[in-house]
Amino acid sequence: MSKEEGKKIELEEHAHQEMAEEISPELEDLLHTDPSTGLTTAEVEQRLQQFGRNELIEKKRNPILKFLGYFTGAIAYLIEIAWILSAVVQDWVDFGIIGALLFINAAIGFIEEAKAENALDALRNTLALKTRVWRNGDLIEIEVAELVPGDIIVLRLGDIVPADCRLLGIGVHGEPVEGNLQIDQSALTGESLPVSKGKGATAYSSSIVKQGQQMGVVTKTGEHTFIGRAATLMSNTNEQGHFQKIINKIGNFLVIVTVVLVVIIFIVLMVKSHGQNVLKVLGDVLVLTVAAIPVGLPTVMSVTMAVGAKQLAKKEVIVKRLTAVEEMASVSVLCSDKTGTLTLNELTFDEPWLCKGYSSDDILLYSYMAAEQGANDPIEYAVRTAARSQLEVLKSLGERDTKIPGFKTNSFLPFNPVTKLTQATILNEETGETFKVAKGAPQVIIKLLTVLPVRGLRALGVARTIPGDLEQWELIGMISLLDPPRPDSAETIARCHEMGVSVKMITGDQLIIAKEVAQRLGMQRAILDAHKLVEADAPEEEIVRRCVKADGFAQVIPEHKYRVVELLQEQGLLVGMTGDGVNDAPALKKANVGIAVHGCTDAARSASDIVLLAPGLSTIVDGITTSRAIFQRMRSYALYRITSTIHFLIFFFFVTIIFQWQLRAILLIFIAVLNDAATLVISVDNAQISQKPDKWRIGQLITMSFVLAVFLTAASFAHFFIARDVFHVTSDELETIMYLHISSCPHFVIFSTRLSGFFWENLPSWTFTVAILGTQVFAMLISIFGVPGLTSAIGWGWGFSIIGISLGYFIVLDFVKVMLFRVWSFELTAKLWPTPSRRRKLAQRKIQKETKARIDANTEKVRSAVHAIHAIHLLQSRSSEKATVQVA
């Protein structure tokens, strides 16, 4: 590693540290407490008033208000109006049905949200409960909530740091300390190794002391700490979910159409009745409204997602927020924490760099000789573990046996921050030779390191003295240490790419280490320093471009992870975020789908929407596959239900206004309840899984529904006129004929809306088929034989012919649907509804298309040139051969 590279890394670390440790001048004045006495009681009281207690303030929503929140939204409001009107006209059957659906929908949402743990509670639980502090000249133990800035606390092995504090470099009685504290802050910053911190460095709240003892002065408490900022980000992230936005868009459209048409019908009927029989007209309009409103839409969607959640649970993917099942299918970018998620979070040996004459076994043996036996340091542990597992001479040693067969350690100098190495004097008992071995920082072991390749590995130099001279050293080589990728990470990333999901790695490690890991995972090495995302002088467009183009981000803090997710979401992308630590919690909550991985902290688990029980990310692919199947079922139901609603409204709008003909209320309710109940089984139907992230495409969905509804309306008027004017059926028979047609013809359309291709390309499941056909066989039988007070008998001829026509007509509509999907494109949507985001995306696609065409053209030119050169060489070769033959 060159000096320039080393200087660059040092500057990056300094910038990273400064970013997280900014302290105002006013606060700085309060931090110069006498370490031997600490704060006085009066000072503590004053600072408690100024800064508050050292705890995370929980913001809870009233459960009653939370439950009432599920009665909001376009569809909910219309259902509630219909519920009230049904009571006004004393239609108690409708009143009971509508009220039951309202409360069922609200209960499902409320119960699912109640299952999720409170993220702020989990963050609070990561704090230490008690700590030792100097107060009024005495060393006492207090509750961590009572700490204030300026308090002098004692940190020792195993302690959880109770607040952000600046290390003082002195022991509990004011004596200077030689060694630094080794602090594990991987759950906070994502750094894969414990960090060495000495005098003047900041130890963050909730990190863990792994080695050493020191005193520190508290700098920040509560929500102002490093972890507190994470909690603040989480509490401020309460955005409406993607799925809820989609349901609201669909609901708004249907409500507007329903209200406009129903109001027109109400006015026309009132005019024709000369303002009389208001309650009767209101009752007729109410029936149309109830039958048209997709009251079952939220319920069917919820049941479908609940069934999907159970399917995912069998694959060790636990869903905490039900709508995350749908949103996971639409995720196009997956941001993944590196340490412990993509990697094992275990420091291991990599391929060493060796000097001539030495082997990998040699460097392992000599590094083991210079290793501090029993030390908790992860580097020393990695050295000991690798040597014991790979060297035959050490495999027979017991767990507590540290003596190397044939060698004796005469003296040992442990690591200290001044020398930055460990050193041992060794006696070879076989030859009687005494030599020294040393292991430590490369710049200490050897001054000239330009011979080493610059890679993202933590390096340790190993050297020994030459035979016969204890002062003359020679380099054995360099040990490379790396937190290795999980065995399935590379394959998982490749499978995600195949499914159209871009994976971005996010880590608190240095840039060069992140690039090395990315390469080993099969990713590109376009890793961005996270500080590039918060540069004050960089234009917003440039920051967005950096974020979108990067394959990963290094040296991140919680705000950076949150910022990455935010920037990607602003581009219209649905973002998934995986993580396991406290530092991941804000981004997990901000993401459309937060995924807590195996072995995660309570904070990460609580902030997430999905929890993986199996190690690694391989189960994410199973989760995406299952979610896309669920999405297709939901989308097919939505297309069917919107089509049915529009068809119903158009037909009854014209037939009521022009012919003053209506279907009795009981039959309309019968159709709505029976058909919606049957479609619940769509949750177990077969599904055609998309190879790309799924999107709702609301414009396409509504347009498709409208076209299909027009065709259905034509079929309805054909039945109406043929039965009335050709066969001259009675009014009661006409009503039963139209009931059976309106029940079956739109209902069979669901066999077509299941997929974008022809219906036979992916046949429905038997359960789904039997449920749909069964409801219509029931409707046919009560129409054929008649039910007193409900339907009039129309006979076998009408019954079979209506069902047969409905089945045949859905095949016609299937061809219409396929043709519409084939001509429809994003370009068409952007031209019909040219929103700013669509225009921007259209321009980007045009640039990408032109760039690809230019690259293809250049590639073809190069290929042609190569072929031409090859042809010339071939001709020259043949000419040479011919000339040789002629000479011969």
Side-chain angles (χ1 to χ4, degrees):
M1 184 183 299
S2 67
K3 293 181 179 179
E4 288 76 11
E5 287 288 337
K7 184 65 175 176
K8 181 181 178 182
I9 291 174
E10 184 180 339
L11 289 172
E12 288 174 344
E13 289 178 334
H14 179 71
H16 183 52
Q17 188 179 48
E18 289 299 316
M19 183 81 179
E21 298 176 12
E22 184 178 348
I23 294 176
S24 65
E26 294 79 12
L27 179 57
E28 183 66 43
D29 292 338
L30 303 177
L31 304 182
H32 301 287
T33 308
D34 185 348
S36 63
T37 60
L39 296 176
T40 64
T41 302
E43 289 174 323
V44 171
E45 290 296 329
Q46 181 183 356
R47 297 183 188 193
L48 274 174
Q49 292 291 328
Q50 181 178 356
F51 298 100
R53 290 169 61 83
N54 181 35
E55 57 188 7
L56 300 176
I57 299 173
E58 180 185 6
K59 297 177 181 178
K60 281 191 175 182
R61 189 180 175 192
N62 187 298
I64 297 176
L65 294 177
K66 185 187 296 184
F67 181 71
L68 293 176
Y70 290 98
F71 292 91
T72 60
I75 294 178
Y77 292 145
L78 194 58
I79 295 174
E80 287 155 18
I81 292 172
W83 189 43
I84 295 170
L85 288 177
S86 63
V88 172
V89 300
Q90 299 183 349
D91 187 347
W92 303 117
V93 174
D94 286 355
F95 182 82
I97 293 173
I98 297 170
L101 287 172
L102 266 174
F103 280 93
I104 288 172
N105 290 338
I108 289 175
F110 183 78
I111 291 170
E112 287 300 323
E113 184 172 327
K115 290 179 181 178
E117 300 169 336
N118 189 292
L120 294 178
D121 273 344
L123 280 170
R124 179 188 296 168
N125 291 336
T126 63
L127 292 173
L129 299 177
K130 298 272 189 177
T131 188
R132 293 198 302 165
V133 60
W134 284 96
R135 291 272 179 89
N136 299 309
D138 295 321
L139 185 62
I140 61 174
E141 190 173 65
I142 65 169
E143 298 284 340
V144 297
E146 298 174 11
L147 284 177
V148 295
D151 261 328
I152 304 297
I153 59 174
V154 179
L155 299 175
R156 54 187 175 179
L157 176 66
D159 282 352
I160 298 175
V161 180
D164 286 2
C165 62
R166 181 184 298 162
L167 299 181
L168 299 175
I170 55 178
V172 66
H173 299 296
E175 72 280 6
V177 293
E178 292 186 3
N180 289 349
L181 286 185
Q182 296 295 320
I183 296 181
D184 179 3
Q185 56 185 36
S186 59
L188 300 175
T189 64
E191 293 165 295
S192 56
L193 285 175
V195 180
S196 178
K197 296 200 174 188
K199 181 178 180 181
T202 295
Y204 299 121
S205 174
S206 294
S207 58
I208 303 171
V209 179
K210 289 293 187 180
Q211 187 174 314
Q213 176 177 305
Q214 259 191 67
M215 288 205 299
V217 56
V218 173
T219 56
K220 295 180 182 179
T221 58
E223 63 183 14
H224 304 292
T225 61
F226 191 87
I227 190 175
R229 295 203 302 273
T232 301
L233 284 174
M234 292 172 64
S235 64
N236 291 337
T237 305
N238 292 303
E239 295 181 359
Q240 189 181 51
H242 169 261
F243 177 71
Q244 192 58 46
K245 292 177 182 177
I246 295 298
I247 292 297
N248 284 344
K249 286 182 180 179
I250 295 174
N252 289 337
F253 170 76
L254 293 179
V255 165
I256 291 171
V257 173
T258 301
V259 169
V260 169
L261 295 184
V262 166
V263 167
I264 293 174
I265 292 174
F266 178 78
I267 293 172
V268 170
L269 292 179
M270 286 298 295
V271 170
K272 289 187 176 181
S273 66
H274 303 290
Q276 300 176 355
N277 300 323
V278 176
L279 286 180
K280 182 182 181 304
V281 173
L282 194 61
D284 293 338
V285 171
L286 171 65
V287 170
L288 289 176
T289 305
V290 172
I293 298 172
V295 288
L297 180 64
T299 304
V300 172
M301 295 292 197
S302 296
V303 170
T304 303
M305 288 187 289
V307 172
K310 290 182 180 179
Q311 294 172 350
L312 288 172
K314 294 178 181 178
K315 299 181 179 181
E316 298 188 283
V317 178
I318 305 302
V319 177
K320 289 178 53 192
R321 180 172 59 85
L322 203 59
T323 54
V325 174
E326 176 271 336
E327 291 169 8
M328 194 171 185
S330 303
V331 166
S332 56
V333 179
L334 180 64
C335 297
S336 177
D337 178 54
K338 178 185 76 69
T339 306
T341 305
L342 294 174
T343 64
L344 294 170
N345 197 17
E346 299 173 0
L347 201 62
T348 59
F349 264 42
D350 199 69
E351 192 67 29
W353 181 87
L354 298 168
C355 290
K356 189 174 182 180
Y358 289 101
S359 66
S360 58
D361 284 354
D362 292 333
I363 198 169
L364 267 180
L365 179 61
Y366 287 120
S367 63
Y368 183 83
M369 291 177 178
E372 186 175 354
Q373 303 299 326
N376 291 324
D377 183 83
I379 294 178
E380 298 291 74
Y381 178 79
V383 169
R384 297 197 306 267
T385 302
R388 282 175 172 260
S389 63
Q390 297 180 36
L391 296 178
E392 292 295 332
V393 70
L394 298 179
K395 286 183 179 179
S396 60
L397 295 181
E399 186 177 343
R400 297 186 179 182
D401 190 2
T402 59
K403 185 180 183 302
I404 306 171
F407 296 90
K408 178 183 178 182
T409 303
N410 290 333
S411 64
F412 184 83
L413 294 175
F415 179 88
N416 70 70
V418 177
T419 62
K420 294 186 179 180
L421 56 78
T422 58
Q423 184 176 305
T425 302
I426 307 294
L427 171 65
N428 187 326
E429 295 177 332
E430 183 178 341
T431 64
E433 176 198 353
T434 298
F435 61 92
K436 293 180 180 179
V437 291
K439 170 177 60 65
Q443 64 270 27
V444 174
I445 298 297
I446 188 172
K447 299 297 183 182
L448 300 176
L449 298 179
T450 53
V451 293
L452 288 179
V454 176
R455 296 175 61 195
L457 304 172
R458 297 178 184 272
L460 282 178
V462 180
R464 60 155 290 170
T465 55
I466 63 176
D469 189 346
L470 292 179
E471 301 299 327
Q472 186 68 34
W473 293 85
E474 67 178 4
L475 182 66
I476 297 171
M478 294 289 168
I479 295 172
S480 299
L481 298 171
L482 179 75
D483 179 13
R486 290 185 179 273
D488 61 345
S489 290
E491 181 186 357
T492 300
I493 291 172
R495 291 181 66 188
C496 284
H497 285 159
E498 290 173 3
M499 301 179 76
V501 179
S502 172
V503 180
K504 296 181 184 291
M505 181 179 71
I506 301 181
T507 177
D509 272 329
Q510 296 171 359
L511 186 62
I512 193 169
I513 294 176
K515 289 185 176 182
E516 178 70 21
V517 174
Q519 183 176 353
R520 295 185 181 220
L521 289 170
M523 302 172 67
Q524 299 296 320
R525 288 170 59 95
I527 309 298
L528 186 69
D529 186 328
H531 296 95
K532 298 290 185 181
L533 299 175
V534 291
E535 286 185 347
D537 56 346
E540 183 72 11
E541 295 78 10
E542 175 60 21
I543 290 177
V544 169
R545 189 193 66 80
R546 292 172 182 173
C547 185
V548 173
K549 295 294 183 183
D551 296 297
F553 307 90
Q555 295 191 221
V556 299
I557 57 177
E559 287 90 336
H560 290 151
K561 295 188 178 187
Y562 188 94
R563 177 66 169 155
V564 167
V565 174
E566 185 178 49
L567 287 171
L568 293 172
Q569 288 176 332
E570 287 175 358
Q571 296 305 297
L573 300 171
L574 259 71
V575 182
M577 174 74 197
T578 72
D580 62 348
V582 178
N583 65 314
D584 302 313
L588 286 173
K589 191 172 183 185
K590 173 65 176 173
N592 299 96
V593 181
I595 305 167
V597 299
H598 173 73
C600 61
T601 62
D602 287 342
R605 186 183 301 112
S606 298
S608 64
D609 306 306
I610 290 175
V611 180
L612 306 183
L613 299 184
L617 294 180
S618 57
T619 48
I620 282 185
V621 177
D622 294 330
I624 292 174
T625 303
T626 303
S627 295
R628 290 186 182 180
I630 295 164
F631 181 94
Q632 292 301 325
R633 295 173 188 142
M634 294 171 65
R635 190 178 186 280
S636 68
Y637 172 76
L639 179 57
Y640 149 75
R641 198 62 186 85
I642 297 171
T643 299
S644 298
T645 300
I646 297 175
H647 156 251
F648 190 94
L649 287 170
I650 293 176
F651 174 70
F652 279 101
F653 176 77
F654 287 107
V655 83
T656 301
I657 289 180
I658 298 173
F659 303 105
Q660 290 82 50
W661 185 88
Q662 285 185 323
L663 209 58
R664 276 183 300 150
I666 186 65
L667 292 177
L668 291 174
I669 297 297
F670 210 68
I671 291 172
V673 174
L674 193 65
N675 290 5
D676 269 342
T679 52
L680 282 172
V681 296
I682 199 173
S683 59
V684 294
D685 185 28
N686 298 331
Q688 191 176 55
I689 299 171
S690 172
Q691 291 302 308
K692 295 180 179 180
D694 289 305
K695 294 182 179 180
W696 278 97
R697 307 186 195 281
I698 296 298
Q700 184 189 72
L701 190 69
I702 291 175
T703 303
M704 184 81 68
S705 300
F706 185 79
V707 172
L708 295 177
V710 169
F711 275 86
L712 285 171
T713 303
S716 297
F717 274 112
H719 277 73
F720 180 82
F721 288 127
I722 290 172
R724 190 192 68 169
D725 299 337
V726 176
F727 289 93
H728 303 290
V729 298
T730 65
S731 58
D732 290 341
E733 290 173 333
L734 177 63
E735 185 179 55
T736 302
I737 289 169
M738 294 309 299
Y739 156 74
L740 182 57
H741 161 74
I742 293 172
S743 175
S744 62
C745 198
H747 201 48
F748 289 148
V749 172
I750 199 169
F751 287 130
S752 173
T753 62
R754 295 176 55 256
L755 63 163
S756 57
F758 292 106
F759 74 93
W760 60 78
E761 293 176 7
N762 186 285
L763 295 175
S765 67
W766 280 109
T767 306
F768 181 72
T769 303
V770 170
I772 298 300
L773 293 180
T775 56
Q776 301 316 309
V777 169
F778 175 78
M780 181 183 70
L781 292 176
I782 65 173
S783 299
I784 290 173
F785 297 107
V787 175
L790 183 65
T791 57
S792 297
I794 58 175
W796 290 98
W798 276 108
F800 274 113
S801 61
I802 291 172
I803 292 296
I805 291 171
S806 296
L807 281 170
Y809 201 62
F810 108 77
I811 298 175
V812 173
L813 294 182
D814 193 58
F815 277 88
V816 173
K817 173 207 69 181
V818 171
M819 293 302 108
L820 279 172
F821 271 121
R822 287 182 177 177
V823 301
W824 199 283
S825 64
F826 172 78
E827 287 75 13
L828 180 61
T829 305
K831 290 178 181 177
L832 293 176
W833 293 280
T835 63
S837 61
R838 286 174 180 161
R839 284 197 295 267
R840 184 171 60 251
K841 191 177 292 185
L842 196 64
Q844 291 174 349
R845 289 192 177 187
K846 184 178 180 181
I847 293 172
Q848 291 173 355
K849 188 175 181 180
E850 291 174 350
T851 303
K852 185 178 183 301
R854 187 166 59 253
I855 292 173
D856 291 344
N858 292 336
T859 303
E860 187 59 35
K861 289 179 181 178
V862 172
R863 189 180 291 113
S864 300
V866 170
H867 284 317
I869 294 171
H870 179 70
I872 293 170
H873 286 167
L874 186 61
L875 288 172
Q876 290 175 343
S877 177
R878 288 178 178 176
S879 299
S880 177
E881 290 175 2
K882 186 176 181 180
T884 302
V885 170
Q886 288 176 345
V887 170

